[in-house]
């Protein structure tokens, strides 16, 4: 096989990029196009084909040539290219668009080539190979329990890290726990005031939350309490032994509670670099920003103004408080420096709610100015923000008493509700199977309901909707997976090792399903380009709808060996794609439901 042919075949996984390569190469070979030509491949109007190359028009315009004639020449060059053989049929349309349709033969060979989660991954890895990305997600604050507000960062962050890794990036999962913030001033003040012995508390986190609430209320009404809390925080930050000891006790209790939730949700981190991890790294930030003139002094505090940005003209970025204490911004600046200079990450992704947009914009602006002055390598920084989970009344979701819903309880309820559904649908299953299915369905439903939303939208949390077996939900997709497993079990056929006699697809349902399968890399690409997992959810839902249409209209277990083989091939690849996609969302799939 010639080198170029091999290159094109391996690139076939992502048809858009294979076509782009072929077209641009053919264009140059005609001698009529130069380097400035780009194919600009887009999905086509389905009446005319699968893809359309739109690049001829702007090129012709720039060079004052006839676009239609150029397109005709390029199309006939492409038709004579041996590498395009079987990839697509071509036609020229309108003023100079080139349409491509994938041939049944191409579809068949693609589906034979890309067979399983492993083979998808070994091709998808070319998307982000060589990138080193640190992703900061979950990142709750200690001394508090995790509540429903912490769900999205965990679920979205976990899915994004899986997708990035699958697409070849080297991913570092970091939990930037808030273990050094103002909450400790208040908490330490309240603990001392009430002479609480942390070691003897029955429900330490609950007690700490109460203490914090009381302390917080006090600081709002009493100047003395406010100053007390401030000085406890400064003492802690300066290394006071008693405060450090209390702080460690508080964190230990918190970490235990977080870890239970992570274990349940199957989430793990490479590092838990909380805010305190950077406490000896903030001085360098203050000094450098001051030295290079990026920061200034304002009422005794150190701030960075971005007067060049309308929105922040009168809103400085506070990086050190007037009492000398560090804050959220100081730590985040130190974090970027550490991750870029010490760890060599080229990209950092932050997953938090939308209310932190100002903070991250100011952080990124500050880094840009500072790193440019110091000639440090400039990282790519992304704030992956998300909307709020609403109750059925359309307001931020709360318990009846008005408190935030604890994550622990939400997870328990998801599994319990899924269990009753399993019990009702399948009372004869063994108890251990019921529990296993209930966990996968309950947690899967919780995750999917969140991920299926475009993350920047708010969404209404409704148990009935997310646990429904109809519609774009986890139970529906998990059921589709289990159903295909059952088809293979019943036919007593292996999942992947299919016989080779498959003939090219013929029926409209076969063709539609095959084309959808070939579009999986496009869904991956959209998800990584925008860091939005919902592209994968929508793809999976459409795929499983097309599978249903195919399965209802085309008998799979037929006598003709070639027809049977190609239909089982479609079943097998649909299964592999659904499972891969769900795993990328952090959802465990089932063989039996
Ligand atoms: N602890 C913060 C919170 O609960 C989130 C931290 C996000 N990460 C960061 N590097 N700022 O809102």
């Amino acid at each position: 096989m010639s080198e170029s042919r091999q290159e094109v075949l391996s690139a076939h996984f992502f048809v858009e990029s294979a076509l782009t390569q072929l077209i641009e190469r053919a264009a140059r070979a005609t001698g009529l196009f130069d380097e400035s030509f780009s194919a600009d491949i887009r999905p086509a109007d389905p009446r005319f084909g699968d893809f359309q190359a739109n690049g001829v028009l702007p090129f012709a315009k720039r060079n004052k040539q006839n676009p239609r004639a150029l397109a005709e020449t390029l199309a006939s060059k492409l038709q004579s290219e041996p590498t395009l053989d079987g990839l697509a049929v071509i036609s020229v349309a309108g003023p100079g668009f080139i349409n491509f349709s994938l041939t049944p033969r191409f579809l068949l060979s693609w589906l034979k080539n890309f067979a399983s989660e492993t083979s998808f991954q070994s091709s998808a890895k070319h998307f982000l190979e060589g990138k080193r990305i640190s992703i900061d997600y979950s990142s709750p604050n200690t001394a508090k329990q995790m509540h429903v507000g912490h769900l999205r960062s965990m679920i979205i962050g976990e899915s994004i890290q899986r997708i990035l890794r699958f697409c070849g990036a080297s991913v570092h999962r970091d939990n930037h726990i808030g273990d050094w913030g103002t909450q400790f001033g208040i908490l330490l003040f309240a603990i001392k005031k009430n002479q609480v012995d942390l070691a003897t508390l029955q429900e330490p986190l609950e007690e700490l939350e109460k203490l914090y609430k009381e302390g917080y209320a006090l600081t709002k009404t009493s100047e003395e309490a406010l100053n007390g809390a401030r000085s406890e925080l400064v003492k802690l930050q300066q290394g006071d032994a008693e405060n450090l000891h209390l702080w460690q006790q508080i964190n230990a209790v918190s970490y235990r509670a977080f870890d239970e939730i992570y274990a349940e949700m199957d989430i793990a981190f490479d590092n838990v670099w909380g805010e305190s991890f950077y406490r000896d790294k903030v001085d360098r930030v203050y000094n450098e920003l001051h030295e290079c003139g990026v920061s200034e002094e304002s009422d005794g505090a150190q701030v960075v103004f971005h007067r060049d940005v309308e929105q922040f003209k009168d809103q400085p970025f506070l990086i050190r408080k007037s009492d000398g204490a560090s804050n959220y911004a100081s730590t985040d600046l130190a974090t970027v420096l550490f991750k870029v200079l010490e760890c060599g990450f080229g990209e950092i992704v932050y997953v938090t709610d939308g209310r932190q947009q100002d903070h991250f914009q100011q952080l990124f602006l500050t880094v840009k100015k500072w790193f440019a002055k110091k000639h440090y390598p400039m990282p790519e920084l992304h704030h992956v923000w998300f909307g709020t989970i609403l109750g059925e009344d359309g307001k931020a979701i709360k318990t009846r008493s008005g408190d935030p819903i604890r994550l622990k309880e939400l997870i328990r309820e998801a599994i319990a509700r899924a269990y009753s559904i399993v019990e009702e649908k399948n009372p004869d299953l063994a108890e251990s199977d019921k529990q296993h299915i209930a966990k996968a369905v309950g947690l899967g439903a919780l995750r999917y309901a969140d991920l299926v939303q475009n993350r920047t939208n708010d969404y209404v949390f409704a148990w009935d909707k997310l646990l429904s077996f109809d519609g774009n939900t986890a139970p529906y997709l998990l059921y589709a997976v289990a159903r295909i497993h059952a088809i293979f079990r019943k036919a007593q056929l292996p999942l992947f090792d299919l016989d080779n006699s498959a003939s090219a697809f013929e029926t409209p349902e076969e063709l539609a399903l095959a084309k959808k399968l070939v579009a999986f890399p496009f869904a991956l690409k959209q998800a990584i380009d925008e860091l939005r997992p919902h592209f994968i959810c929508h793809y999976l839902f459409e795929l499983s709808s097309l599978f249903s249409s195919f399965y209802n209209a085309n008998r799979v277990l037929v006598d003709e060996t070639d027809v049977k083989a190609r239909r089982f091939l479609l079943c097998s690849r649909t299964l592999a794609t659904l499972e891969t996609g769900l795993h990328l969302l952090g959802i465990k799939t089932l063989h039996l439901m």
Side-chain angles (χ1 to χ4, degrees):
M1 213 188 278
S2 77
E3 209 187 1
S4 71
R5 174 121 180 116
Q6 208 164 24
E7 190 188 314
V8 169
L9 273 184
S10 69
H12 267 176
F13 177 62
F14 184 38
V15 179
E16 282 86 342
S17 99
L19 275 178
T20 301
Q21 277 182 42
L22 284 171
I23 295 169
E24 294 179 358
R25 193 174 307 163
R28 252 138 251 158
T30 62
L32 300 172
F33 295 84
D34 62 19
E35 292 295 319
S36 73
F37 169 73
S38 86
D40 190 13
I41 290 288
R42 304 185 193 172
D45 178 335
R47 283 172 303 167
F48 306 124
D50 300 315
F51 303 99
Q52 186 168 70
N54 285 7
V56 175
L57 242 57
F59 179 83
K61 204 168 168 201
R62 278 199 306 275
N63 296 283
K64 305 212 167 39
Q65 294 191 40
N66 176 348
R68 177 82 198 193
L70 267 185
E72 305 269 2
T73 317
L74 177 50
S76 62
K77 181 79 199 161
L78 278 164
Q79 252 133 6
S80 69
E81 281 276 295
T83 41
L84 208 62
D85 188 25
L87 172 55
V89 286
I90 309 165
S91 65
V92 175
F97 304 118
I98 308 180
N99 286 317
F100 298 85
S101 303
L102 299 177
T103 62
R105 199 170 101 221
F106 171 79
L107 294 168
L108 188 63
S109 81
W110 194 98
L111 292 183
K112 283 184 179 164
N113 265 334
F114 305 108
S116 62
E117 195 156 346
T118 332
S119 73
F120 296 148
Q121 176 159 28
S122 51
S123 302
K125 73 168 195 263
H126 299 298
F127 281 141
L128 296 175
E129 221 165 20
K131 297 227 177 210
R132 298 198 58 212
I133 307 176
S134 176
I135 170 165
D136 166 336
Y137 65 110
S138 186
S139 307
N141 299 327
T142 54
K144 292 182 192 157
Q145 306 204 54
M146 281 208 232
H147 58 75
V148 63
H150 297 107
L151 188 67
R152 298 204 77 182
S153 175
M154 202 160 84
I155 290 178
I156 297 171
E158 175 65 17
S159 174
I160 289 181
Q161 78 85 10
R162 286 178 186 229
I163 298 168
L164 293 174
R165 190 184 301 269
F166 190 81
C167 292
S170 132
V171 178
H172 167 256
R173 300 162 298 180
D174 180 25
N175 195 357
H176 189 88
I177 291 195
D179 60 358
W180 203 238
T182 28
Q183 80 261 36
F184 285 100
I186 292 173
L187 202 52
L188 291 170
F189 173 76
I191 289 172
K192 289 186 184 176
K193 185 165 181 297
N194 294 295
Q195 296 178 322
V196 179
D197 180 0
L198 289 177
T200 62
L201 296 180
Q202 288 295 329
E203 297 269 8
L205 268 188
E206 263 111 279
E207 295 293 330
L208 286 172
E209 274 178 341
K210 257 191 240 147
L211 278 166
Y212 177 81
K213 267 192 198 158
E214 282 168 28
Y216 181 78
L218 264 182
T219 60
K220 289 286 151 199
T221 52
S222 136
E223 186 80 8
E224 194 193 324
L226 185 64
N227 289 332
R230 277 197 186 134
S231 82
E232 293 299 346
L233 183 66
V234 174
K235 261 165 71 187
L236 173 68
Q237 295 195 342
Q238 284 167 351
D240 172 85
E242 187 194 0
N243 280 10
L244 268 179
H245 178 66
L246 285 171
W247 170 78
Q248 272 157 353
Q249 282 180 298
I250 297 169
N251 284 338
V253 184
S254 308
Y255 277 75
R256 236 172 284 138
F258 298 160
D259 285 343
E260 274 173 31
I261 291 188
Y262 295 141
E264 190 75 340
M265 297 291 287
D266 195 20
I267 286 177
F269 296 93
D270 299 299
N271 286 102
V272 180
W273 286 333
E275 291 177 12
S276 66
F277 177 78
Y278 300 97
R279 60 187 192 261
D280 61 352
K281 300 177 176 59
V282 286
D283 280 338
R284 177 166 173 192
V285 175
Y286 306 141
N287 294 337
E288 290 196 5
L289 286 175
H290 172 71
E291 265 166 34
C292 57
V294 172
S295 70
E296 54 198 80
E297 213 201 280
S298 167
D299 296 330
Q302 193 174 351
V303 303
V304 179
F305 265 103
H306 297 289
R307 297 191 175 84
D308 44 334
V309 180
E310 182 58 32
Q311 169 191 10
F312 301 124
K313 239 177 44 209
D314 311 307
Q315 186 190 332
F317 192 42
L318 176 65
I319 65 161
R320 187 183 203 183
K321 299 193 224 169
S322 53
D323 59 12
S326 63
N327 67 358
Y328 195 50
S330 352
T331 317
D332 265 335
L333 287 164
T335 306
V336 179
L337 191 69
F338 179 76
K339 288 192 174 176
V340 173
L341 293 194
E342 306 294 318
C343 313
F345 296 120
E347 275 182 54
I348 308 175
V349 175
Y350 301 87
V351 188
T352 83
D353 74 62
R355 286 169 303 182
Q356 299 197 29
Q357 285 179 81
D358 279 3
H359 167 77
F360 283 102
Q361 281 181 37
Q362 288 177 303
L363 174 71
F364 297 173
L365 286 166
T366 307
V367 168
K368 232 185 193 163
K369 291 178 185 168
W370 168 28
F371 278 37
K373 285 248 159 80
K374 299 293 274 184
H375 304 290
Y376 293 149
M378 197 61 79
E380 252 182 70
L381 304 170
H382 307 274
H383 184 207
V384 168
W385 61 273
F386 49 80
T388 309
I389 304 183
L390 306 173
E392 300 199 45
D393 60 359
K395 298 198 189 113
I397 192 167
K398 293 253 157 65
T399 59
R400 267 192 215 110
S401 61
D403 293 323
I405 298 173
R406 300 204 170 118
L407 211 44
K408 215 163 58 180
E409 269 129 49
L410 195 76
I411 290 172
R412 208 175 290 152
E413 184 163 356
I415 299 174
R417 283 178 181 259
Y419 186 89
S420 345
I421 298 175
V422 177
E423 179 89 331
E424 190 192 304
K425 292 202 182 228
N426 247 334
D428 300 333
L429 282 178
E431 180 56 28
S432 63
D433 285 338
K434 283 184 197 163
Q435 284 182 13
H436 179 68
I437 298 172
K439 194 167 169 186
V441 172
L443 295 181
L446 206 55
R447 291 181 124 118
Y448 194 84
D450 198 295
L451 294 168
V452 73
Q453 306 292 330
N454 188 346
R455 61 175 163 75
T456 43
N457 294 343
D458 296 344
Y459 74 91
V460 174
F461 188 95
W463 285 116
D464 292 345
K465 216 169 89 195
L466 68 99
L467 282 166
S468 162
F469 277 74
D470 297 316
N472 195 355
T473 65
Y476 170 80
L477 290 172
L478 287 172
Y479 182 72
V481 167
R483 183 163 78 149
I484 305 179
H485 274 291
I487 294 172
F488 279 91
R489 271 199 304 273
K490 219 171 107 201
Q492 295 186 312
L493 279 175
L495 277 181
F496 297 117
D497 199 11
L498 297 165
D499 83 62
N500 244 334
S501 60
S503 48
F505 306 114
E506 280 174 19
T507 70
E509 297 83 13
E510 288 173 345
L511 284 164
L513 178 58
K515 285 181 181 178
K516 194 74 193 171
L517 287 164
V518 171
F520 179 50
F522 182 64
L524 285 175
K525 185 78 172 49
Q526 283 179 302
I528 53 175
D529 283 350
E530 295 197 30
L531 300 171
R532 291 182 200 265
H534 76 279
F535 287 116
I536 293 179
C537 299
H538 291 285
Y539 170 81
L540 295 178
F541 180 62
E542 287 165 18
L543 176 65
S544 81
S545 309
L546 286 173
F547 179 78
S548 289
S549 316
F550 154 76
Y551 194 69
N552 294 336
N554 297 235
R555 258 167 56 85
V556 171
L557 217 51
V558 289
D559 289 336
E560 303 95 309
T561 356
D562 64 317
V563 179
K564 181 172 138 188
R566 75 175 190 242
R567 294 194 176 157
F568 270 98
L569 181 73
L570 286 171
C571 294
S572 150
R573 300 315 185 245
T574 303
L575 179 62
T577 310
L578 286 174
E579 289 194 316
T580 304
L582 287 166
H583 297 158
L584 290 175
L585 302 172
I587 295 173
K588 290 210 168 85
T589 49
L590 297 161
H591 288 210
L592 188 99
M593 248 172 102

